[in-house]
Each structure stands twice: as structure tokens, then as C-alpha cells.
Amino acid sequence: MRFADLFDFAWQVLRGSVTRTLLILLAMGIGVAAVVLVTSLGEGARLYVSNQFGSLGTNLIIVLPGRSETSGAMPGVLIGKTPRDLTLDDAMALKRSYAVRRLAPLIVGTGDVHAGARVRETPVLGSTAELMDIRHMEIAQGNFLPQGDPRHSQPVCIIGAKVANELFGSRSVLGEWVRIGDRRFRVIGIMAKQGQSLGFNTDEIVIVPLAAAQALFNTEALFRVLVEAKSREQIADARSDVEEILRLRHEGERDVTVITQDAVLATFDRILRALTLTVGSIAAISLAVAGILIMNVMLIAVAQRRGEIGLLKALGATGRQIRMVFFTEAVMLGIGGAAAGLAVGELGRSLAAQMYPTIPFQVPWWALLAAPATAVITAVLFTLAPARRAARLDPVQALSRR
Amino acid sequence: MIRLTGIERTFAVGDEMVHALRGVSLELAQGEYVSIMGPSGSGKSTLLNVIGLLDRPNAGTYELDGRDVTGLSDDELARVRREKMGFVFQFFHLVPRLSAEQNIELPMVLAGIAPAERRTRLDRLLTDYGLADRARHRPEQLSGGQCQRVAIARAMSMGPHVILADEPTGNLDRHTGQEVMAVLERLHQGGGTLVLVTHDPEIGSRAHRRLRMTDGAIVADEPSSQFKPGLPPESPANRPPGSRGAAA
């Protein structure tokens, strides 16, 4: 029997009982739509979290002085024992690793920032021009720190939007001078509002060149070195390079802690993926229910079409052909249901996306494949028994019972 | 050429075993026109089904064109049926959702014949059986005679060697029945073997060879000239219990 004929035959059957066909399509469609919707919610949550982490910087490796005995994500807890200082030379040495794209040494302190008669105490960050790219910072006005040798500094600073407002009110800020401690800095840029990230509110900080911060706080020791690997795949290489370079520079002692945000992100990723998979499987149960409906309908069809099956056998249909007739019908129902379900699921997804624009609702690719595949496989699986029964009908008996 | 030897067919009806065929032996030459008559439950339909390879005997051998087909698998039997047998039933057995031409085409579809070739044969069959203007009608839109002509055209679509008709006129009025018989006999004149099961002595007497069955055995096998129409039917009391179901 040719495929086109099988298709045609099944099509006639499906068209012949429209209500039955529509009901099965509905059941299948609901199952597929449920899988698509639920997994897109889960995937949306996963992407949302991952984007939030991404705003810290991509492929980020954080180096801090001191060796922590336990690993964890809380930077404050990680400083253990008496650390050897992490110096600017240490930081510059890390550039030798081929896996490192760029790095930014970081010094953090607190200072009184004066502008005219106004004073405000703010966190002061000392760093280099690379910080902006590594941390994905955005400048609302002006420029970020200039490129150049980090050992020498120009008297310039970038201030947060809130600091600018409190010190200067609505006046134009760029080009104004502020005093921190006993040094004067010209404001060359204002940070865009980005909110909290890595422990600082960028609206409320002042960034100065690294050398200036070293002088200001009278220290050579770095608070952190932020390292960006060339790619996600090279994070592991970069990490081991960083550890090795610093071990050699520190006379063989492993006295720094290296954190990759990847590890944290991966954990979240795993949790949310598992969650998506779980709820997706629960939704898939509805597909199984649809499958049972198909089986029921097919069994009824075999009973109702006994005469027809007997006739087909009398006309020379083999058992395989009879089975194929039923399977083709089931596959068509499965595909139809899957298509309807994908359409409804997509509709629901775009509705959800409109209601919560911040969450990137996305159907994961595996759900797009798995849901229709499950629909078709369920349809075929639950047709096995009815099709077998049909193929085994005794033609004489099937024909005689009208 | 069909040769049946010692064919037995028993059915279990409830707890009882019903002998539908008791050691039937029969030879049919190519091109014969045979009728099988007998009371209900005498096994004539069962014999027809065995000849048509639709039913398997419990014992005995079946030789078709010199080949022993007794032990063939179900699927092999299906292929032989497709190639060599054409069935015509009392209740037509048309697929109600398919049009007349789709019904006629079914055996060719099952045999996997290409659509172009099917179309050619279909057009010829539709013309031959006077169904050209009814090709796209569904069975419910056709008269009984037209339905049976569709069924005959279907049986003929694969060019079978043997036509097996089980009460082909049983569901038709007398006039239409005569028409259908004329069609069937025209097939026989074309060289095919025609085996006919009927209750109607008038229809049965048209055959060249007449078999009479009682209780699962052939009790008379005569050329039509020696046949005496109007033999008294078996009294119902003599029938084996449950045999009605066995021969249905």
C-alpha cells in the first residue's frame, strides 16, 4: 500500500467522524500546549536569573586575597587567616594568561566627598578603564576613566547619579571639581542608574583611578582583581592560569581565592532546569491522558469497523496493512494535536510575555521537539493494542457480524 | 484449478463443537460456473470462505493452481486472495464513507498499484458496470443494484481467477437480482471461475454445475441438466445444533 493511499484512507476516516477527530485533537492540543506553556515559564525564569547574573559581567573571575577553607559565594566571609597582599603587579602578571581578555584591579574605601560647601560620605572605588567593560557599567554623561598606565593617575573621577544630585543639585556636573580627602578630582562622567550590583549601588559611588585610590587610602593592597575570560569555555583555563601565576608569584603558596560566577550561575541554572523539566513532565501527564483517550476511541473504532476490517482482509489486506491504517490515523491525530497545541501554547506564551515583559518567556528548544514527539509517540503507543486487535480479527467473523 | 481434499471445519459455539464441513473433497476447473445450495447451516458459506482462502480448514488440503496453499501464513493468504480471488457479498460490504470509485479501487490500493494505472482500470470498470455517472456517489446515494455492481466491479478490479459470490442477490429485488446475475455470468463467460452460494433455486439452476450441501457434506454434485429444482429443504429438526451460526 502506498503512503499517499494510506494517508488518504486515514484522512477519509478522520473526516468521516468530525466530532471524534476534533475531540481527540482538543485533548492532544491541551496536553502539548500545557507542556509548551509550563516549560516556557520555567525557561523564562531561568533566563531571567541568568540575565541578572550576566549584568555582573560575563565570563567573570573574581580574585581576592586570602585563602578560604570553605567555598562559598559570600565575598565578605572569604577572607581568612593573614593574607599576603594582592598587588597591582600581581594583577598585571595575570595578563600573561592567553585565556584572559582583560582585568581590572579594584581598591575600595570610604571617603568624604566635598563639593563646595557640601559633603557626602560615599564608597570610593579605585580601578582602571577596563572596569567599565568587565562590569558592563553604563555612563549616563561624559566618559569613564581614561586608558593608560594604572601606576600613574590623572585627577579625574566618575560619580554616581545620586551622589551628583546630592552634591550639585540640578547644576551641570561635568567638569566640576570635587575633593576627596586631600586630593582634588575633576568629574568627567556620571554613572547611569543601574541599581545594586556586586555589593554596591552604582548610584552612590565615586570611581577614581587606581593609583589615586592607592594614595588616598595609603595602601598597595588590592581589594579584588576582576578578570574576564575570553569565552565561557576558557573560564576554567583562565581560572587555573590565575591560580598558577599567583602561586608562583607568592612563593608557591596558594593564598588567594578565585571565584567564578559561572559556578554560582551553573547552580541556579541546574536548579531551574530541573524545575522546568519537572513541571514539564507533570504537564506531559496530560498527554498520556490524551493517549488513553486515543486508545479508547481506537478500540471503539475497531469494534465499529469490524465489518470494514473484515472486508479489507477479504480484499487482500495483510495484517501489517490493517495495522498501518490505524497507525496512520493515530499519527495524523498526533501531528494535528501537536500543531494545535503548539499554536495555543505559543499564543499563551506571547500573552504571558506581554503581561510580564521583564521575564524572557521562551519555549526551550527541547520542549518544542519533545512535546510534539511525545504527542505522536503517545498516539502510536496507545494505538498498538487496538491496531493489533484489528489485525488479528478473523475476516469471516468480522464480515458476518453486521 | 482448485482441489480440496478431506476438508474439515469445526467451530466452537459455546461448549459445543459444530462441524461446518465434514470431509469435503471437491475439484473446480478453471472457468466453471458452480452453484452451492442447501439449507441454512449446511456449511455452504463456510465452504465458499474456504475456497476463497478467507477461512482455514481444520484438516484437509487445499491445492490452488498446483500449489498447496493449506499451510500458508495469514499474510500470504491475503496476497493470494488479493491476486486471485474476488468476493461478492450479500450485504455488498461497501465502505460507507468512500465514493463508488474509491470502493472499487480498494483492492488496487491495497496491492500498491500506481494511481495512473488505477485510474485506467477504474475508468474501464466504471464503464463496464454502467457506473460512470455514479462514480463519485457514496453507497447511501446508490440503489441496491448499483451497490452490488460497485461490489462486483471491486471484486473484478484485480482481474481475479475466481469470483466467489455469497447470496449476491439475497438483498435485492427479483428484477435487480436478475441484472446482477447477468453481470456475474458475463464475467464467467470472460473465462473466470464463478462460485455462487444461494438459497434461490431459480438462481442456483442457472449454474452449469450444482452442488447441494447438507450437514457439512456435499450430497449432490450434478451438472445443471440433471438437477431437479424444488428439492424439499431439510427439516429444521434435523439440523445440527448451533449450525445456523456456523454457516452465517
Side-chain angles (χ1 to χ4, degrees):
Chain A
M1 206 165 167
R2 298 166 150 256
F3 181 73
D5 292 327
L6 263 177
F7 181 86
D8 218 47
F9 195 84
W11 175 245
Q12 301 278 0
V13 174
L14 295 179
R15 234 184 41 171
S17 36
V18 180
T19 319
R20 185 189 78 124
T21 306
L22 286 182
L23 278 176
I24 296 183
L25 287 184
L26 186 69
M28 279 295 202
I30 288 174
V32 172
V35 172
V36 166
L37 262 180
V38 160
T39 52
S40 83
L41 292 186
E43 186 75 355
R46 192 180 73 81
L47 289 175
Y48 180 72
V49 168
S50 135
N51 285 352
Q52 290 294 306
F53 269 90
S55 73
L56 297 182
T58 31
N59 310 329
L60 190 61
I61 299 168
I62 303 168
V63 187
L64 37 146
R67 180 80 196 149
S68 76
E69 294 304 321
T70 53
S71 63
M74 298 281 287
V77 191
L78 289 171
I79 304 161
K81 302 193 180 155
T82 46
R84 190 189 306 258
D85 283 346
L86 199 55
T87 63
L88 182 57
D89 290 335
D90 286 337
M92 292 301 122
L94 300 181
K95 284 191 171 169
R96 294 207 302 262
S97 164
Y98 78 97
V100 170
R101 171 170 290 149
R102 51 190 159 217
L103 55 86
L106 204 62
I107 287 183
V108 175
T110 316
D112 288 334
V113 183
H114 302 256
R118 298 190 189 190
V119 186
R120 194 186 191 284
E121 190 187 22
T122 65
V124 176
L125 258 65
S127 191
T128 59
E130 274 80 23
L131 181 69
M132 182 163 102
D133 290 328
I134 293 179
R135 285 283 305 273
H136 298 174
M137 286 174 160
E138 281 169 37
I139 294 293
Q141 290 177 45
N143 297 300
F144 199 70
L145 295 174
Q147 299 278 351
D149 185 349
R151 288 177 187 84
H152 304 284
S153 71
Q154 295 172 17
V156 292
C157 71
I158 310 343
I159 62 177
K162 195 171 172 190
V163 179
N165 189 42
E166 282 174 3
L167 291 178
F168 298 98
S170 53
R171 277 197 290 142
S172 133
V173 181
L174 291 182
E176 295 290 334
W177 290 86
V178 296
R179 186 166 59 81
I180 306 171
D182 56 354
R183 298 171 74 96
R184 275 161 46 91
F185 299 90
R186 185 196 285 276
V187 179
I188 56 165
I190 298 175
M191 308 285 303
K193 288 188 188 218
Q194 278 180 296
Q196 203 84 19
S197 122
L198 208 71
F200 297 108
N201 188 337
T202 52
D203 297 348
E204 299 183 24
I205 54 170
V206 173
I207 301 173
V208 298
L210 186 82
Q214 284 178 324
L216 211 53
F217 300 124
N218 189 26
T219 177
E220 289 290 308
L222 299 178
F223 174 66
R224 298 275 188 277
V225 181
L226 304 182
V227 180
E228 186 184 320
K230 281 189 178 146
S231 69
R232 198 182 175 89
E233 290 70 39
Q234 281 173 311
I235 289 176
D237 284 356
R239 182 194 176 122
S240 60
D241 282 357
V242 165
E243 283 174 341
E244 183 61 15
I245 291 169
L246 291 179
R247 189 180 68 81
L248 291 174
R249 289 183 58 85
H250 290 188
E251 283 123 30
E253 272 201 64
R254 294 178 177 278
D255 58 358
V256 297
T257 301
V258 180
I259 308 170
T260 58
Q261 64 153 356
D262 217 43
V264 183
L265 185 57
T267 309
F268 268 95
D269 210 65
R270 267 203 307 278
I271 293 171
L272 287 167
R273 238 181 236 279
L275 207 69
T276 308
L277 207 63
T278 312
V279 290
S281 323
I282 293 172
I285 291 174
S286 60
L287 272 177
V289 174
I292 291 170
L293 180 79
I294 288 199
M295 174 140 101
N296 183 32
V297 166
M298 286 296 180
L299 284 173
I300 295 172
V302 171
Q304 279 177 343
R305 281 153 66 187
R306 281 178 72 99
E308 179 184 323
I309 296 161
L311 169 78
L312 289 178
K313 288 195 146 190
L315 297 181
T318 59
R320 189 170 166 273
Q321 285 178 321
I322 303 278
R323 283 197 300 274
M324 285 306 287
V325 165
F326 281 88
F327 282 139
T328 310
E329 211 177 308
V331 168
M332 283 168 72
L333 284 172
I335 291 175
L342 286 180
V344 173
E346 176 58 27
L347 197 75
R349 190 201 62 78
S350 58
L351 276 180
Q354 273 182 10
M355 279 160 68
Y356 303 98
T358 45
I359 301 179
F361 290 109
Q362 241 181 57
V363 190
W365 63 268
W366 53 264
L368 272 183
L369 292 180
T374 314
V376 173
I377 291 171
T378 320
V380 170
L381 221 58
F382 281 99
T383 309
L384 276 177
R388 242 166 83 104
R389 180 180 286 192
R392 286 186 172 182
L393 276 183
D394 176 53
V396 177
Q397 280 182 24
L399 274 170
S400 66
R401 204 180 296 178
R402 298 196 314 122
Chain B
M1 161 80 173
I2 291 169
R3 179 181 290 133
L4 303 176
T5 319
I7 298 289
E8 300 271 348
R9 182 70 176 104
T10 54
F11 296 100
V13 178
D15 293 336
E16 284 179 274
M17 292 301 286
V18 176
H19 276 260
L21 295 177
R22 299 168 189 264
V24 171
S25 295
L26 178 67
E27 267 189 44
L28 296 175
Q30 182 63 35
E32 270 197 282
Y33 178 8
V34 188
S35 69
I36 306 174
M37 296 189 65
S40 291
S42 57
K44 47 191 195 307
S45 283
T46 305
L47 179 60
L48 190 80
N49 288 335
V50 167
I51 295 173
L53 293 168
L54 209 53
D55 204 353
R56 281 173 181 281
N58 297 90
T61 55
Y62 184 153
E63 221 178 276
L64 176 66
D65 297 333
R67 175 190 181 199
D68 185 356
V69 294
T70 325
L72 292 187
S73 73
D74 285 353
D75 283 356
E76 285 167 328
L77 288 180
R79 283 186 203 99
V80 176
R81 276 201 297 276
R82 185 195 291 164
E83 303 297 330
K84 302 200 170 174
M85 306 292 171
F87 285 95
V88 178
F89 307 97
Q90 178 180 1
F91 300 105
F92 322 136
H93 281 298
L94 301 180
V95 181
R97 63 176 178 278
L98 299 181
S99 68
E101 63 177 14
Q102 284 171 320
N103 266 292
I104 296 173
E105 176 171 58
L106 263 182
M108 299 191 280
V109 167
L110 290 171
I113 291 171
E117 165 70 10
R118 288 202 315 247
R119 190 69 248 171
T120 318
R121 290 202 209 172
L122 204 51
D123 287 338
R124 206 175 53 227
L125 287 164
L126 287 168
T127 323
D128 283 358
Y129 295 95
L131 292 164
D133 56 340
R134 291 282 180 273
R136 291 181 194 276
H137 288 52
R138 303 250 202 107
E140 72 207 18
Q141 299 163 308
L142 299 173
S143 71
Q146 286 166 339
C147 280
Q148 198 57 301
R149 289 213 300 274
V150 170
I152 294 170
R154 178 179 67 193
M156 291 310 295
S157 62
M158 291 294 291
H161 301 190
V162 186
I163 314 286
L164 302 145
D166 195 350
E167 304 273 11
T169 60
N171 214 29
L172 301 172
D173 62 58
R174 211 182 105 81
H175 175 71
T176 320
Q178 297 288 343
E179 261 180 33
V180 165
M181 283 314 295
V183 171
L184 284 172
E185 282 162 5
R186 212 170 69 218
L187 296 180
H188 160 247
Q189 279 151 21
T193 309
L194 177 59
V195 184
L196 190 73
V197 163
T198 181
H199 267 112
D200 185 344
E202 191 185 330
I203 302 282
S205 62
R206 295 163 73 133
H208 304 153
R209 181 179 170 192
R210 323 181 52 161
L211 303 179
R212 182 154 194 94
M213 292 189 70
T214 307
D215 271 354
I218 298 173
V219 293
D221 179 355
E222 305 163 329
S224 60
S225 55
Q226 298 167 12
F227 192 82
K228 308 264 187 311
L231 274 179
E234 298 287 311
S235 117
N238 292 342
R239 270 183 233 144
S243 58
R244 185 183 295 272

